[in-house]
Structures are given as C-alpha cells and as structure tokens.
Amino acid sequence: MAEPTETQAVLKTVADPSLVLLTVEEAARRLRIGRTTCFKLVLAGEIESVTVGRLRRVPPEALPVYVSKLRRRPAEAA
C-alpha cells in the first residue's frame, strides 16, 4: 500500500482524537486560524496551554472552551 501523502498526514493529525496534547500549530489548524495568531492567544492566556520541558502544548479540551468564551463576548462594534 502506498505511503500517505503529506496532506493526508496533516488531516489525520488535525482530526486525531487520541492526541492528549496538541502543538500550537495543530491547535491553530483545528481553529482554522494562523499559527502566529494562535501563539499570541496562547501567550496571552486566552487559550489554555501547558509547558512540557521547553515545549508549549495545548490540551484539546481548551479549544472548545476558547470558542465558548468567544461566543459569550458581546459583539464588538465594527
């Protein structure tokens, strides 16, 4: 059987429910936002994260919590 393409590997990582902790990049992909924006949200404490050694990781449960917070915010004037 052929080896999976890079795109297939990325899709599997994004949807893999067995991951206990996500990289910031994986969290960004799940939220469909940019990597830099996700790092800013993590560093600001908007998205929960933990450090493992020198690595920053995001618990998958933190993403729906963040989205819920966004939904409760009053709409900002455009």
Side-chain angles (χ1 to χ4, degrees), residues 1-64:
M1 186 166 188
E3 200 158 312
T5 65
E6 183 178 340
T7 303
Q8 289 170 331
V10 167
L11 290 175
K12 182 181 182 326
T13 301
V14 169
D16 188 352
S18 67
L19 295 175
V20 176
L21 294 171
L22 305 171
T23 65
V24 176
E25 290 85 352
E26 290 166 342
R29 275 191 233 116
R30 286 190 181 192
L31 291 170
R32 304 293 195 258
I33 62 174
R35 175 183 164 275
T36 303
T37 300
C38 194
F39 267 105
K40 287 179 184 175
L41 291 169
V42 164
L43 293 175
E46 292 285 323
I47 297 175
E48 178 192 356
S49 67
V50 296
T51 53
V52 180
R54 295 178 61 193
L55 305 173
R56 178 69 55 181
R57 295 292 183 254
V58 178
E61 313 80 54
L63 303 181

